[in-house]
Amino acid sequence: MKPAVSTKTPEFASYYGRLSQHSIAPLWEVLKNLVTNEPVTPCVPAHWPYEQVRPLLFEAGRLISAEQAERRVLVLENPGLRNESSVTHSLYAGIQLVLPGEVAAQHRHSQAALRFILEGNGATTTVDGERFEMYPGDMILTPSWQWHDHQNETKEPIVWMDGLDIALVRLLDASFAQHANQKEQEVTRPKETSRNLYGANMLPIDDAPATQNSPLMRYPYAEARAALERLKAATAWDACHGIRMRYAHPKTGSWVMPTIGPAIQLVPKGFTTTQYRSTDGAVFAVAEGHGSANIGGETFSLAPHDVFVCPAWAWRTFEARDDLVLFTFSDRPVQEKLGLWREERAAN
Ligand SMILES: [Fe+2]
């Protein structure tokens, strides 16, 4: 045992005061909070049922236009991170509404984004010169610094979840943003270009070198769902996940973007997963199905389009009442690159 030293003495107080005048602080007062034995996070388990979020979102639709708001989004703020626009310590999640006839003007920024479509059919987003139609369950990428604008030329509203690496970029003080004079960017690539080039398990033979961002921008739900269904029938289910797949960069096999890692999982009807945790705090959206999630000891009842968050290193389990499909994203690509990512499966 180390001998105890009382630092609550006039001598220490005087010393700390003099240190402070030089912008110096004693490490021994803070060390155990800086270097913790396990991950410690202000992020808490939280759940946003869609039946509560949706009416509030459509109220925003009456109060402010997409043009006035630039982006009409309700930010899902983690209760442990209020006023920081953060859903986990590193990530942002929001629910965006674009009404028929509206355009969300083009801009670009350092922050990478992905969208997971919740409702609406056929509204479009234009990313880097290519226009993509959006349908429920689709995942669409907006990598760092690519121009993007959204337009809804259909007769129904469109709603999606945005996931961005805002807090991570803020931590690194690396944010740039730019607005354009033109409300909508010119569409310079024919429809389905990226899909035709990269969406069939083949690559153009003389393609340019890969970048960290996937050249495949839209990952359709129909394909992801069909793959999960085939795996459900033909493979053993993972005790902790059911069937869980990550979205892949077609040229490198790596994550689709360097900072945000999306995945999708199917927990088959009647299946209960065993306890799992990992160092990447994760945001989940229910693509379809009903069930429940136990996150760090809290139980949430799940319905389609609900969003919930699992903090870093919190244990989680899922129980599926019918086939439960969960979309998720986290900062796992960052943690893997830095050699920090860990996971743990509870011993049965
Ligand atoms: Fe944006």
Side-chain angles (χ1 to χ4, degrees), residues 42-123:
C43 173
V44 297
H47 175 220
W48 292 268
Y50 195 59
E51 63 172 10
Q52 290 172 18
V53 172
R54 192 179 190 279
L56 293 168
L57 182 67
F58 279 77
E59 199 175 330
R62 291 191 295 276
L63 291 170
I64 189 164
S65 71
E67 190 167 3
Q68 289 164 326
E70 185 168 338
R71 292 293 186 268
R72 188 199 288 112
V73 180
L74 297 183
V75 180
L76 305 181
E77 285 198 324
N78 191 282
L81 294 159
R82 290 310 310 275
N83 304 314
E84 293 183 36
S85 301
S86 293
V87 68
T88 70
H89 221 164
S90 61
L91 297 169
Y92 157 108
I95 306 292
Q96 181 155 176
L97 169 66
V98 183
L99 292 169
E102 286 188 327
V103 172
Q106 70 163 317
H107 67 197
R108 62 177 175 173
H109 36 71
S110 306
Q111 292 81 359
L114 59 77
R115 319 191 188 290
F116 183 72
I117 314 308
L118 298 178
E119 61 171 290
N121 294 279

Side-chain angles (χ1 to χ4, degrees), residues 86 89-91 111 165-175 331 334 338:
S86 293
H89 221 164
S90 61
L91 297 169
Q111 292 81 359
D165 53 6
I166 287 178
L168 180 68
V169 174
R170 184 168 56 204
L171 170 73
L172 301 171
D173 290 334
S175 173
D331 62 13
V334 178
L338 301 179

